[in-house]
mmCIF file with all atom_site columns, all heavy atoms in Angstrom:
data_model
loop_
_atom_site.group_PDB
_atom_site.id
_atom_site.type_symbol
_atom_site.label_atom_id
_atom_site.label_alt_id
_atom_site.label_comp_id
_atom_site.label_asym_id
_atom_site.label_entity_id
_atom_site.label_seq_id
_atom_site.pdbx_PDB_ins_code
_atom_site.Cartn_x
_atom_site.Cartn_y
_atom_site.Cartn_z
_atom_site.occupancy
_atom_site.B_iso_or_equiv
_atom_site.pdbx_formal_charge
_atom_site.auth_seq_id
_atom_site.auth_comp_id
_atom_site.auth_asym_id
_atom_site.auth_atom_id
_atom_site.pdbx_PDB_model_num
ATOM 1   N N   . PRO R 1 1  ? 261.313 -39.556 154.727 1.00 0.00 ? 1  PRO R N   1
ATOM 2   C CA  . PRO R 1 1  ? 260.465 -40.797 154.551 1.00 0.00 ? 1  PRO R CA  1
ATOM 3   C C   . PRO R 1 1  ? 260.107 -41.396 155.872 1.00 0.00 ? 1  PRO R C   1
ATOM 4   O O   . PRO R 1 1  ? 260.833 -41.441 156.861 1.00 0.00 ? 1  PRO R O   1
ATOM 5   C CB  . PRO R 1 1  ? 261.504 -41.680 153.842 1.00 0.00 ? 1  PRO R CB  1
ATOM 6   C CG  . PRO R 1 1  ? 262.419 -40.863 153.233 1.00 0.00 ? 1  PRO R CG  1
ATOM 7   C CD  . PRO R 1 1  ? 262.586 -39.622 154.071 1.00 0.00 ? 1  PRO R CD  1
ATOM 8   N N   . GLU R 1 2  ? 258.865 -41.809 155.984 1.00 0.00 ? 2  GLU R N   1
ATOM 9   C CA  . GLU R 1 2  ? 258.354 -42.321 157.200 1.00 0.00 ? 2  GLU R CA  1
ATOM 10  C C   . GLU R 1 2  ? 258.966 -43.641 157.507 1.00 0.00 ? 2  GLU R C   1
ATOM 11  O O   . GLU R 1 2  ? 259.071 -44.503 156.626 1.00 0.00 ? 2  GLU R O   1
ATOM 12  C CB  . GLU R 1 2  ? 256.763 -42.482 157.173 1.00 0.00 ? 2  GLU R CB  1
ATOM 13  C CG  . GLU R 1 2  ? 256.153 -41.171 157.592 1.00 0.00 ? 2  GLU R CG  1
ATOM 14  C CD  . GLU R 1 2  ? 254.627 -41.399 157.789 1.00 0.00 ? 2  GLU R CD  1
ATOM 15  O OE1 . GLU R 1 2  ? 254.235 -42.555 158.089 1.00 0.00 ? 2  GLU R OE1 1
ATOM 16  O OE2 . GLU R 1 2  ? 253.854 -40.448 157.692 1.00 0.00 ? 2  GLU R OE2 1
ATOM 17  N N   . ILE R 1 3  ? 259.315 -43.855 158.809 1.00 0.00 ? 3  ILE R N   1
ATOM 18  C CA  . ILE R 1 3  ? 259.801 -45.241 159.237 1.00 0.00 ? 3  ILE R CA  1
ATOM 19  C C   . ILE R 1 3  ? 258.575 -45.956 159.851 1.00 0.00 ? 3  ILE R C   1
ATOM 20  O O   . ILE R 1 3  ? 257.976 -45.370 160.764 1.00 0.00 ? 3  ILE R O   1
ATOM 21  C CB  . ILE R 1 3  ? 260.969 -45.093 160.176 1.00 0.00 ? 3  ILE R CB  1
ATOM 22  C CG1 . ILE R 1 3  ? 262.134 -44.356 159.478 1.00 0.00 ? 3  ILE R CG1 1
ATOM 23  C CG2 . ILE R 1 3  ? 261.411 -46.335 160.709 1.00 0.00 ? 3  ILE R CG2 1
ATOM 24  C CD1 . ILE R 1 3  ? 263.342 -44.117 160.445 1.00 0.00 ? 3  ILE R CD1 1
ATOM 25  N N   . PRO R 1 4  ? 258.354 -47.213 159.458 1.00 0.00 ? 4  PRO R N   1
ATOM 26  C CA  . PRO R 1 4  ? 257.135 -47.897 159.981 1.00 0.00 ? 4  PRO R CA  1
ATOM 27  C C   . PRO R 1 4  ? 257.411 -48.094 161.534 1.00 0.00 ? 4  PRO R C   1
ATOM 28  O O   . PRO R 1 4  ? 258.503 -48.208 162.030 1.00 0.00 ? 4  PRO R O   1
ATOM 29  C CB  . PRO R 1 4  ? 257.235 -49.152 159.117 1.00 0.00 ? 4  PRO R CB  1
ATOM 30  C CG  . PRO R 1 4  ? 258.502 -49.291 158.589 1.00 0.00 ? 4  PRO R CG  1
ATOM 31  C CD  . PRO R 1 4  ? 259.014 -47.989 158.479 1.00 0.00 ? 4  PRO R CD  1
ATOM 32  N N   . GLU R 1 5  ? 256.271 -48.487 162.075 1.00 0.00 ? 5  GLU R N   1
ATOM 33  C CA  . GLU R 1 5  ? 256.287 -48.895 163.505 1.00 0.00 ? 5  GLU R CA  1
ATOM 34  C C   . GLU R 1 5  ? 256.871 -50.261 163.643 1.00 0.00 ? 5  GLU R C   1
ATOM 35  O O   . GLU R 1 5  ? 256.899 -51.035 162.609 1.00 0.00 ? 5  GLU R O   1
ATOM 36  C CB  . GLU R 1 5  ? 254.921 -48.805 164.159 1.00 0.00 ? 5  GLU R CB  1
ATOM 37  C CG  . GLU R 1 5  ? 254.403 -47.462 164.274 1.00 0.00 ? 5  GLU R CG  1
ATOM 38  C CD  . GLU R 1 5  ? 252.994 -47.413 164.946 1.00 0.00 ? 5  GLU R CD  1
ATOM 39  O OE1 . GLU R 1 5  ? 252.544 -48.587 165.361 1.00 0.00 ? 5  GLU R OE1 1
ATOM 40  O OE2 . GLU R 1 5  ? 252.371 -46.379 164.996 1.00 0.00 ? 5  GLU R OE2 1
ATOM 41  N N   . GLY R 1 6  ? 257.334 -50.659 164.767 1.00 0.00 ? 6  GLY R N   1
ATOM 42  C CA  . GLY R 1 6  ? 257.909 -51.994 164.983 1.00 0.00 ? 6  GLY R CA  1
ATOM 43  C C   . GLY R 1 6  ? 259.251 -51.871 165.501 1.00 0.00 ? 6  GLY R C   1
ATOM 44  O O   . GLY R 1 6  ? 259.824 -50.812 165.794 1.00 0.00 ? 6  GLY R O   1
ATOM 45  N N   . SER R 1 7  ? 259.907 -53.006 165.741 1.00 0.00 ? 7  SER R N   1
ATOM 46  C CA  . SER R 1 7  ? 261.324 -53.067 166.376 1.00 0.00 ? 7  SER R CA  1
ATOM 47  C C   . SER R 1 7  ? 262.093 -54.119 165.571 1.00 0.00 ? 7  SER R C   1
ATOM 48  O O   . SER R 1 7  ? 261.595 -54.944 164.867 1.00 0.00 ? 7  SER R O   1
ATOM 49  C CB  . SER R 1 7  ? 261.243 -53.295 167.836 1.00 0.00 ? 7  SER R CB  1
ATOM 50  O OG  . SER R 1 7  ? 260.648 -54.588 168.035 1.00 0.00 ? 7  SER R OG  1
ATOM 51  N N   . VAL R 1 8  ? 263.421 -54.049 165.908 1.00 0.00 ? 8  VAL R N   1
ATOM 52  C CA  . VAL R 1 8  ? 264.272 -55.025 165.326 1.00 0.00 ? 8  VAL R CA  1
ATOM 53  C C   . VAL R 1 8  ? 265.297 -55.515 166.408 1.00 0.00 ? 8  VAL R C   1
ATOM 54  O O   . VAL R 1 8  ? 265.631 -54.706 167.228 1.00 0.00 ? 8  VAL R O   1
ATOM 55  C CB  . VAL R 1 8  ? 265.060 -54.407 164.137 1.00 0.00 ? 8  VAL R CB  1
ATOM 56  C CG1 . VAL R 1 8  ? 265.899 -53.307 164.690 1.00 0.00 ? 8  VAL R CG1 1
ATOM 57  C CG2 . VAL R 1 8  ? 265.993 -55.396 163.423 1.00 0.00 ? 8  VAL R CG2 1
ATOM 58  N N   . ARG R 1 9  ? 265.575 -56.827 166.305 1.00 0.00 ? 9  ARG R N   1
ATOM 59  C CA  . ARG R 1 9  ? 266.505 -57.323 167.358 1.00 0.00 ? 9  ARG R CA  1
ATOM 60  C C   . ARG R 1 9  ? 267.930 -57.190 166.837 1.00 0.00 ? 9  ARG R C   1
ATOM 61  O O   . ARG R 1 9  ? 268.335 -57.666 165.698 1.00 0.00 ? 9  ARG R O   1
ATOM 62  C CB  . ARG R 1 9  ? 266.151 -58.798 167.653 1.00 0.00 ? 9  ARG R CB  1
ATOM 63  C CG  . ARG R 1 9  ? 264.934 -59.010 168.449 1.00 0.00 ? 9  ARG R CG  1
ATOM 64  C CD  . ARG R 1 9  ? 264.560 -60.513 168.680 1.00 0.00 ? 9  ARG R CD  1
ATOM 65  N NE  . ARG R 1 9  ? 264.369 -61.161 167.433 1.00 0.00 ? 9  ARG R NE  1
ATOM 66  C CZ  . ARG R 1 9  ? 264.801 -62.422 167.142 1.00 0.00 ? 9  ARG R CZ  1
ATOM 67  N NH1 . ARG R 1 9  ? 265.546 -63.019 168.020 1.00 0.00 ? 9  ARG R NH1 1
ATOM 68  N NH2 . ARG R 1 9  ? 264.615 -62.967 165.978 1.00 0.00 ? 9  ARG R NH2 1
ATOM 69  N N   . VAL R 1 10 ? 268.692 -56.621 167.645 1.00 0.00 ? 10 VAL R N   1
ATOM 70  C CA  . VAL R 1 10 ? 270.185 -56.343 167.296 1.00 0.00 ? 10 VAL R CA  1
ATOM 71  C C   . VAL R 1 10 ? 271.100 -57.100 168.243 1.00 0.00 ? 10 VAL R C   1
ATOM 72  O O   . VAL R 1 10 ? 270.990 -56.991 169.471 1.00 0.00 ? 10 VAL R O   1
ATOM 73  C CB  . VAL R 1 10 ? 270.506 -54.837 167.322 1.00 0.00 ? 10 VAL R CB  1
ATOM 74  C CG1 . VAL R 1 10 ? 271.882 -54.519 167.090 1.00 0.00 ? 10 VAL R CG1 1
ATOM 75  C CG2 . VAL R 1 10 ? 269.569 -54.063 166.389 1.00 0.00 ? 10 VAL R CG2 1
ATOM 76  N N   . LYS R 1 11 ? 272.046 -57.794 167.620 1.00 0.00 ? 11 LYS R N   1
ATOM 77  C CA  . LYS R 1 11 ? 273.190 -58.415 168.364 1.00 0.00 ? 11 LYS R CA  1
ATOM 78  C C   . LYS R 1 11 ? 274.458 -57.711 167.998 1.00 0.00 ? 11 LYS R C   1
ATOM 79  O O   . LYS R 1 11 ? 274.897 -57.575 166.876 1.00 0.00 ? 11 LYS R O   1
ATOM 80  C CB  . LYS R 1 11 ? 273.248 -59.885 167.914 1.00 0.00 ? 11 LYS R CB  1
ATOM 81  C CG  . LYS R 1 11 ? 274.337 -60.644 168.675 1.00 0.00 ? 11 LYS R CG  1
ATOM 82  C CD  . LYS R 1 11 ? 274.474 -62.184 168.102 1.00 0.00 ? 11 LYS R CD  1
ATOM 83  C CE  . LYS R 1 11 ? 275.567 -62.876 168.784 1.00 0.00 ? 11 LYS R CE  1
ATOM 84  N NZ  . LYS R 1 11 ? 275.567 -64.304 168.238 1.00 0.00 ? 11 LYS R NZ  1
ATOM 85  N N   . PHE R 1 12 ? 275.217 -57.251 169.038 1.00 0.00 ? 12 PHE R N   1
ATOM 86  C CA  . PHE R 1 12 ? 276.472 -56.596 168.845 1.00 0.00 ? 12 PHE R CA  1
ATOM 87  C C   . PHE R 1 12 ? 277.606 -57.534 169.040 1.00 0.00 ? 12 PHE R C   1
ATOM 88  O O   . PHE R 1 12 ? 277.638 -58.368 169.910 1.00 0.00 ? 12 PHE R O   1
ATOM 89  C CB  . PHE R 1 12 ? 276.651 -55.520 169.904 1.00 0.00 ? 12 PHE R CB  1
ATOM 90  C CG  . PHE R 1 12 ? 275.662 -54.357 169.815 1.00 0.00 ? 12 PHE R CG  1
ATOM 91  C CD1 . PHE R 1 12 ? 274.621 -54.136 170.775 1.00 0.00 ? 12 PHE R CD1 1
ATOM 92  C CD2 . PHE R 1 12 ? 275.754 -53.410 168.746 1.00 0.00 ? 12 PHE R CD2 1
ATOM 93  C CE1 . PHE R 1 12 ? 273.802 -53.076 170.568 1.00 0.00 ? 12 PHE R CE1 1
ATOM 94  C CE2 . PHE R 1 12 ? 274.930 -52.307 168.556 1.00 0.00 ? 12 PHE R CE2 1
ATOM 95  C CZ  . PHE R 1 12 ? 273.834 -52.178 169.546 1.00 0.00 ? 12 PHE R CZ  1
ATOM 96  N N   . VAL R 1 13 ? 278.518 -57.580 168.092 1.00 0.00 ? 13 VAL R N   1
ATOM 97  C CA  . VAL R 1 13 ? 279.693 -58.319 168.035 1.00 0.00 ? 13 VAL R CA  1
ATOM 98  C C   . VAL R 1 13 ? 280.913 -57.626 167.870 1.00 0.00 ? 13 VAL R C   1
ATOM 99  O O   . VAL R 1 13 ? 281.051 -56.647 166.994 1.00 0.00 ? 13 VAL R O   1
ATOM 100 C CB  . VAL R 1 13 ? 279.617 -59.398 166.840 1.00 0.00 ? 13 VAL R CB  1
ATOM 101 C CG1 . VAL R 1 13 ? 280.831 -60.249 166.815 1.00 0.00 ? 13 VAL R CG1 1
ATOM 102 C CG2 . VAL R 1 13 ? 278.363 -60.360 167.068 1.00 0.00 ? 13 VAL R CG2 1
ATOM 103 N N   . ASP R 1 14 ? 281.951 -57.780 168.594 1.00 0.00 ? 14 ASP R N   1
ATOM 104 C CA  . ASP R 1 14 ? 283.253 -57.123 168.576 1.00 0.00 ? 14 ASP R CA  1
ATOM 105 C C   . ASP R 1 14 ? 283.956 -57.645 167.178 1.00 0.00 ? 14 ASP R C   1
ATOM 106 O O   . ASP R 1 14 ? 284.077 -58.811 166.982 1.00 0.00 ? 14 ASP R O   1
ATOM 107 C CB  . ASP R 1 14 ? 284.140 -57.578 169.720 1.00 0.00 ? 14 ASP R CB  1
ATOM 108 C CG  . ASP R 1 14 ? 285.393 -56.725 169.784 1.00 0.00 ? 14 ASP R CG  1
ATOM 109 O OD1 . ASP R 1 14 ? 285.892 -56.309 168.764 1.00 0.00 ? 14 ASP R OD1 1
ATOM 110 O OD2 . ASP R 1 14 ? 285.963 -56.490 170.885 1.00 0.00 ? 14 ASP R OD2 1
ATOM 111 N N   . GLN R 1 15 ? 284.271 -56.651 166.453 1.00 0.00 ? 15 GLN R N   1
ATOM 112 C CA  . GLN R 1 15 ? 284.811 -57.002 165.162 1.00 0.00 ? 15 GLN R CA  1
ATOM 113 C C   . GLN R 1 15 ? 286.219 -57.746 165.217 1.00 0.00 ? 15 GLN R C   1
ATOM 114 O O   . GLN R 1 15 ? 286.437 -58.668 164.492 1.00 0.00 ? 15 GLN R O   1
ATOM 115 C CB  . GLN R 1 15 ? 285.012 -55.709 164.244 1.00 0.00 ? 15 GLN R CB  1
ATOM 116 C CG  . GLN R 1 15 ? 285.419 -56.004 162.876 1.00 0.00 ? 15 GLN R CG  1
ATOM 117 C CD  . GLN R 1 15 ? 285.748 -54.731 162.213 1.00 0.00 ? 15 GLN R CD  1
ATOM 118 O OE1 . GLN R 1 15 ? 286.886 -54.334 162.201 1.00 0.00 ? 15 GLN R OE1 1
ATOM 119 N NE2 . GLN R 1 15 ? 284.839 -54.092 161.507 1.00 0.00 ? 15 GLN R NE2 1
ATOM 120 N N   . ALA R 1 16 ? 286.919 -57.266 166.219 1.00 0.00 ? 16 ALA R N   1
ATOM 121 C CA  . ALA R 1 16 ? 288.356 -57.982 166.366 1.00 0.00 ? 16 ALA R CA  1
ATOM 122 C C   . ALA R 1 16 ? 288.275 -59.418 166.770 1.00 0.00 ? 16 ALA R C   1
ATOM 123 O O   . ALA R 1 16 ? 289.039 -60.181 166.286 1.00 0.00 ? 16 ALA R O   1
ATOM 124 C CB  . ALA R 1 16 ? 289.167 -57.061 167.277 1.00 0.00 ? 16 ALA R CB  1
ATOM 125 N N   . THR R 1 17 ? 287.374 -59.711 167.650 1.00 0.00 ? 17 THR R N   1
ATOM 126 C CA  . THR R 1 17 ? 287.268 -61.181 168.150 1.00 0.00 ? 17 THR R CA  1
ATOM 127 C C   . THR R 1 17 ? 286.232 -61.917 167.449 1.00 0.00 ? 17 THR R C   1
ATOM 128 O O   . THR R 1 17 ? 286.306 -63.224 167.596 1.00 0.00 ? 17 THR R O   1
ATOM 129 C CB  . THR R 1 17 ? 287.047 -61.177 169.709 1.00 0.00 ? 17 THR R CB  1
ATOM 130 O OG1 . THR R 1 17 ? 285.742 -60.513 169.979 1.00 0.00 ? 17 THR R OG1 1
ATOM 131 C CG2 . THR R 1 17 ? 288.135 -60.362 170.404 1.00 0.00 ? 17 THR R CG2 1
ATOM 132 N N   . GLY R 1 18 ? 285.170 -61.281 166.928 1.00 0.00 ? 18 GLY R N   1
ATOM 133 C CA  . GLY R 1 18 ? 284.084 -62.046 166.334 1.00 0.00 ? 18 GLY R CA  1
ATOM 134 C C   . GLY R 1 18 ? 283.125 -62.561 167.411 1.00 0.00 ? 18 GLY R C   1
ATOM 135 O O   . GLY R 1 18 ? 282.268 -63.403 167.101 1.00 0.00 ? 18 GLY R O   1
ATOM 136 N N   . GLU R 1 19 ? 283.191 -62.078 168.729 1.00 0.00 ? 19 GLU R N   1
ATOM 137 C CA  . GLU R 1 19 ? 282.427 -62.520 169.763 1.00 0.00 ? 19 GLU R CA  1
ATOM 138 C C   . GLU R 1 19 ? 281.621 -61.491 170.347 1.00 0.00 ? 19 GLU R C   1
ATOM 139 O O   . GLU R 1 19 ? 281.959 -60.220 170.363 1.00 0.00 ? 19 GLU R O   1
ATOM 140 C CB  . GLU R 1 19 ? 283.288 -63.221 170.862 1.00 0.00 ? 19 GLU R CB  1
ATOM 141 C CG  . GLU R 1 19 ? 283.936 -64.537 170.311 1.00 0.00 ? 19 GLU R CG  1
ATOM 142 C CD  . GLU R 1 19 ? 284.896 -65.109 171.450 1.00 0.00 ? 19 GLU R CD  1
ATOM 143 O OE1 . GLU R 1 19 ? 285.009 -64.474 172.451 1.00 0.00 ? 19 GLU R OE1 1
ATOM 144 O OE2 . GLU R 1 19 ? 285.555 -66.136 171.112 1.00 0.00 ? 19 GLU R OE2 1
ATOM 145 N N   . SER R 1 20 ? 280.425 -61.766 170.978 1.00 0.00 ? 20 SER R N   1
ATOM 146 C CA  . SER R 1 20 ? 279.538 -60.810 171.546 1.00 0.00 ? 20 SER R CA  1
ATOM 147 C C   . SER R 1 20 ? 279.907 -60.629 173.091 1.00 0.00 ? 20 SER R C   1
ATOM 148 O O   . SER R 1 20 ? 279.403 -59.644 173.745 1.00 0.00 ? 20 SER R O   1
ATOM 149 C CB  . SER R 1 20 ? 278.101 -61.025 171.389 1.00 0.00 ? 20 SER R CB  1
ATOM 150 O OG  . SER R 1 20 ? 277.849 -62.304 171.929 1.00 0.00 ? 20 SER R OG  1
ATOM 151 N N   . GLY R 1 21 ? 280.544 -61.582 173.633 1.00 0.00 ? 21 GLY R N   1
ATOM 152 C CA  . GLY R 1 21 ? 280.807 -61.593 175.122 1.00 0.00 ? 21 GLY R CA  1
ATOM 153 C C   . GLY R 1 21 ? 279.547 -61.608 175.846 1.00 0.00 ? 21 GLY R C   1
ATOM 154 O O   . GLY R 1 21 ? 278.756 -62.515 175.671 1.00 0.00 ? 21 GLY R O   1
ATOM 155 N N   . ASP R 1 22 ? 279.451 -60.736 176.798 1.00 0.00 ? 22 ASP R N   1
ATOM 156 C CA  . ASP R 1 22 ? 278.259 -60.726 177.755 1.00 0.00 ? 22 ASP R CA  1
ATOM 157 C C   . ASP R 1 22 ? 277.115 -59.881 177.274 1.00 0.00 ? 22 ASP R C   1
ATOM 158 O O   . ASP R 1 22 ? 276.161 -59.599 177.941 1.00 0.00 ? 22 ASP R O   1
ATOM 159 C CB  . ASP R 1 22 ? 278.664 -60.248 179.125 1.00 0.00 ? 22 ASP R CB  1
ATOM 160 C CG  . ASP R 1 22 ? 279.732 -61.240 179.671 1.00 0.00 ? 22 ASP R CG  1
ATOM 161 O OD1 . ASP R 1 22 ? 279.626 -62.380 179.501 1.00 0.00 ? 22 ASP R OD1 1
ATOM 162 O OD2 . ASP R 1 22 ? 280.649 -60.709 180.614 1.00 0.00 ? 22 ASP R OD2 1
ATOM 163 N N   . LEU R 1 23 ? 277.270 -59.260 176.085 1.00 0.00 ? 23 LEU R N   1
ATOM 164 C CA  . LEU R 1 23 ? 276.312 -58.343 175.552 1.00 0.00 ? 23 LEU R CA  1
ATOM 165 C C   . LEU R 1 23 ? 275.086 -59.106 175.234 1.00 0.00 ? 23 LEU R C   1
ATOM 166 O O   . LEU R 1 23 ? 275.090 -60.073 174.433 1.00 0.00 ? 23 LEU R O   1
ATOM 167 C CB  . LEU R 1 23 ? 276.816 -57.500 174.393 1.00 0.00 ? 23 LEU R CB  1
ATOM 168 C CG  . LEU R 1 23 ? 278.033 -56.620 174.669 1.00 0.00 ? 23 LEU R CG  1
ATOM 169 C CD1 . LEU R 1 23 ? 278.548 -56.029 173.341 1.00 0.00 ? 23 LEU R CD1 1
ATOM 170 C CD2 . LEU R 1 23 ? 277.763 -55.611 175.645 1.00 0.00 ? 23 LEU R CD2 1
ATOM 171 N N   . PRO R 1 24 ? 273.871 -58.647 175.699 1.00 0.00 ? 24 PRO R N   1
ATOM 172 C CA  . PRO R 1 24 ? 272.698 -59.317 175.291 1.00 0.00 ? 24 PRO R CA  1
ATOM 173 C C   . PRO R 1 24 ? 272.100 -58.838 173.869 1.00 0.00 ? 24 PRO R C   1
ATOM 174 O O   . PRO R 1 24 ? 272.623 -57.825 173.424 1.00 0.00 ? 24 PRO R O   1
ATOM 175 C CB  . PRO R 1 24 ? 271.658 -58.831 176.336 1.00 0.00 ? 24 PRO R CB  1
ATOM 176 C CG  . PRO R 1 24 ? 272.137 -57.442 176.807 1.00 0.00 ? 24 PRO R CG  1
ATOM 177 C CD  . PRO R 1 24 ? 273.716 -57.532 176.648 1.00 0.00 ? 24 PRO R CD  1
ATOM 178 N N   . VAL R 1 25 ? 271.212 -59.619 173.384 1.00 0.00 ? 25 VAL R N   1
ATOM 179 C CA  . VAL R 1 25 ? 270.590 -59.241 172.108 1.00 0.00 ? 25 VAL R CA  1
ATOM 180 C C   . VAL R 1 25 ? 269.389 -58.357 172.525 1.00 0.00 ? 25 VAL R C   1
ATOM 181 O O   . VAL R 1 25 ? 268.643 -58.559 173.544 1.00 0.00 ? 25 VAL R O   1
ATOM 182 C CB  . VAL R 1 25 ? 269.947 -60.432 171.466 1.00 0.00 ? 25 VAL R CB  1
ATOM 183 C CG1 . VAL R 1 25 ? 269.051 -60.022 170.276 1.00 0.00 ? 25 VAL R CG1 1
ATOM 184 C CG2 . VAL R 1 25 ? 270.976 -61.480 171.039 1.00 0.00 ? 25 VAL R CG2 1
#
């Protein structure tokens, strides 16, 4: 199946702490 063009913003969060720390979106 074709995936459309475009992008998505992703935020990474540590599951154990619930925080993203210094990781950018």
Side-chain angles (χ1 to χ4, degrees):
E2 272 193 28
I3 297 176
E5 294 182 4
S7 60
V8 62
R9 287 179 299 139
V10 176
K11 179 182 180 181
F12 293 111
V13 173
D14 189 332
Q15 187 189 89
T17 63
E19 298 175 357
S20 59
D22 298 329
L23 298 177
V25 176

